[in-house]
Amino acid sequence: MTATYRVGITRDILDSRGEPAFGRKALAVLDDAPGIAWEYLPEVVRELTPDHAARYDAIYVNMARTPGAAVARADCRLRVVARHGVGYDSVDVPAMTKAGVIVTHTPMPMPRPVATIALTFILALAGKLMLKDRLTRTHRWDERMDNMGMGLTGRTLGVIGAGRIGKELLRMARTFDLRLLAHDPYVNEVELAYVGARKVDRATLLRESDFVVTIPLLNEETRHLMGESEFAHMKPGAYFINVSRGPVVDEAALIAALRSGHLAGAALDVFEQEPVDPANPLLAMDNVIVTPHSLCWTDECFHNMAVTGLTSIVHTLGGRVPEFVVDRAVLHHPRVRAWCAGQA
């Protein structure tokens, strides 16, 4: 690379000290790449603009949205939008493909961390961990007998969305002698049987599961995948867990199912509105565990995500096809073919 390429990193990846949340070591991926100059965007932005696309050849994006309007101007020089994370619902992927802008994400570092938080939620709900913490802190020791937990042996775990993360959760859950069910129209029975799970339709999963975990990608097919009908068909006394995206769940329907006592409890790392509204009834429920879309965030997870994402930028600007392209149709775009070798 003889030309100098400009790379921007959105500032919403910085912690309160102004340090990258993924640690400085990952930045060596950019520092060691010839012909690349990088910087943080001058300010925190909610979404990228045409000015950003005109200034940078690549942008590493954390939470900022990337609308189609950002790449609609004639002076767009942007070649790649690299998402810090597995989800890409914040990026207008069809518009990027149409404009000849590659979108990448970081799926490989995510299965273990997200599966771990789902399992953490299962164990915490089963043992009524948060409630018993409150009993201890508020001097209600004598209420222990009225708050018995649920043993896991022989119980049923149902996973909706059995991609990399879902299969990792199912594999890890086998340790607890749980009966494992999975629903995913895009995963075959053999793959699921390999991790000890049985593929079933969604109605069967909801009816038979003591714990239902949702882990699908968010798209129009999965928006409000769990609504009034689905919660009504869940086993009475079951627990619901969402570690996917907030809009996968109709929160009003979930709140109603919890208030009626049909569901024993829920655990949510994500919400329909983020940051969550302080008046959201879910925050006041003793049988609901809530975390701020960050429970899987660890030094290991973020470092691996950053190395994967920043490497995709280096490969793209070096004329190589990056490993984790969201829509591979973009590789046939004339603009991409002009500078990216080995299209597939």
Side-chain angles (χ1 to χ4, degrees):
M1 261 189 306
T2 56
T4 297
Y5 294 99
R6 298 186 64 86
V7 175
I9 300 176
T10 58
R11 296 190 72 86
D12 55 14
I13 198 68
L14 301 178
D15 62 21
S16 61
R17 303 166 300 163
E19 292 292 322
F22 49 69
R24 290 194 175 190
K25 287 184 179 179
L27 293 172
V29 172
L30 297 179
D31 291 334
D32 295 342
I36 288 181
W38 69 270
E39 65 185 17
Y40 297 113
L41 268 58
E43 57 188 17
V44 175
V45 296
R46 294 183 63 87
E47 68 177 35
L48 301 184
T49 69
D51 287 342
H52 295 126
R55 178 177 177 83
Y56 299 107
D57 299 281
I59 302 180
Y60 192 69
V61 180
N62 185 27
M63 293 177 289
R65 302 190 67 82
T66 308
V71 295
R73 222 162 62 187
D75 61 349
C76 174
R77 66 185 281 182
L78 190 62
R79 296 187 178 190
V80 57
V81 172
R83 265 282 297 132
H84 180 82
V86 64
Y88 45 84
D89 49 281
S90 60
V91 181
D92 187 338
V93 176
M96 298 301 117
T97 297
K98 183 178 179 180
V101 177
I102 294 174
V103 178
T104 67
H105 63 154
T106 59
M108 293 308 291
M110 299 308 295
R112 175 60 65 86
V114 180
T116 298
I117 73 168
L119 190 56
T120 298
F121 278 148
I122 291 169
L123 297 174
L125 288 169
K128 297 190 176 182
L129 175 64
M130 303 304 291
L131 174 59
K132 290 178 180 179
D133 174 87
R134 286 191 290 273
L135 291 181
T136 307
R137 294 175 187 276
T138 56
H139 313 294
R140 295 155 62 195
W141 195 273
D142 292 340
E143 295 181 33
R144 292 178 298 164
M145 289 295 185
D146 297 323
N147 291 284
M148 197 65 63
M150 174 190 286
L152 296 182
T153 304
R155 304 287 184 176
T156 300
L157 166 63
V159 175
I160 298 177
R164 292 186 180 95
I165 295 170
K167 285 195 285 288
E168 179 68 2
L169 171 59
L170 290 164
R171 188 191 65 78
M172 294 170 67
R174 293 173 68 176
T175 302
F176 298 92
D177 296 320
L178 285 156
R179 176 172 170 254
L180 306 175
L181 302 179
H183 171 69
D184 191 319
Y186 304 104
V187 178
N188 64 49
E189 295 180 7
V190 175
E191 288 182 82
L192 293 172
Y194 184 76
V195 294
R198 180 165 66 93
K199 182 175 182 177
V200 297
D201 58 52
R202 188 168 54 174
T204 299
L205 183 146
L206 295 174
R207 183 176 64 250
E208 298 185 8
S209 297
D210 297 287
F211 300 90
V212 172
V213 180
T214 50
I215 325 180
L217 285 172
L218 175 63
N219 51 43
E220 289 311 307
E221 183 181 344
T222 60
R223 191 175 297 274
H224 279 194
L225 180 70
M226 293 295 296
E228 181 179 359
S229 176
E230 287 73 25
F231 288 121
H233 282 89
M234 282 180 63
K235 177 191 271 190
Y239 292 96
F240 174 73
I241 296 159
N242 186 17
V243 293
S244 172
R245 287 290 190 269
V248 166
V249 177
D250 180 343
E251 277 187 13
L254 174 58
I255 291 167
L258 289 163
R259 281 175 168 167
S260 72
H262 180 67
L263 296 185
L268 309 167
D269 188 48
V270 289
F271 299 86
E272 283 197 90
Q273 175 189 325
E274 295 184 358
V276 65
D277 185 343
N280 190 320
L282 291 165
L283 303 187
M285 294 182 174
D286 283 343
N287 59 342
V288 178
I289 301 173
V290 292
T291 53
H293 200 158
S294 63
L295 192 59
C296 77
W297 291 5
T298 64
D299 52 357
E300 177 186 30
C301 174
F302 259 42
H303 171 81
N304 291 340
M305 287 164 63
V307 168
T308 301
L310 296 175
T311 297
S312 74
I313 288 176
V314 172
H315 285 178
T316 301
L317 298 183
R320 299 169 56 187
V321 176
E323 188 171 3
F324 301 110
V325 178
V326 171
D327 181 9
R328 297 189 70 83
V330 72
L331 302 178
H332 303 291
H333 192 286
R335 182 172 183 263
V336 176
R337 294 178 68 87
W339 45 260
C340 197
Q343 299 89 341

